[in-house]
Amino acid sequence: MSGYGGRRGQAERDAMTVEIGYALVSAAFAAAVLFGAVAGPALLFDLPYTLELLLVRTGLVLAPVLFVARVISVLVRFRDGRSQPSQPGRTNPDS
């Protein structure tokens, strides 16, 4: 946005779309890896029923939590990264 209350340009909308897509895809991948790491042994090996149930349910609880945390962290980092200095070359607010 060029100023407060201004309209977003096409480049900013495209960047936001790409960042949302990246957040969703990377979060889905991370959640799938976590689920596979936690519940995988229960699905691959013949473990006691209680342990299988515990591992699968733990995976089913942790995977969505990781998904949401990853999406939020990527989008917050994207939003914070947009604040650029008003004058190129100056990174310190006091300069």
Side-chain angles (χ1 to χ4, degrees):
M1 265 187 322
S2 59
Y4 294 104
R7 300 187 75 174
R8 288 187 174 97
Q10 185 64 38
E12 289 178 340
R13 289 194 307 263
D14 290 346
M16 193 178 311
T17 301
V18 168
E19 198 66 25
I20 291 169
Y22 169 73
L24 293 173
V25 169
S26 68
F29 179 75
V33 168
L34 176 78
F35 180 78
V38 172
L43 302 173
L44 292 175
F45 303 114
D46 188 24
L47 300 175
Y49 176 74
T50 307
L51 184 58
E52 283 184 11
L53 190 65
L54 177 69
L55 288 174
V56 171
R57 286 190 178 172
T58 302
L60 287 173
V61 168
L62 291 179
V65 170
L66 177 66
F67 180 87
V68 170
R70 175 70 181 159
V71 168
I72 290 172
S73 70
V74 168
L75 294 180
V76 166
R77 193 171 2 127
F78 173 70
R79 185 184 66 189
D80 290 344
R82 289 181 49 204
S83 59
Q84 297 292 324
S86 60
Q87 298 177 346
R90 293 189 175 190
T91 56
N92 211 356
D94 299 335
S95 56

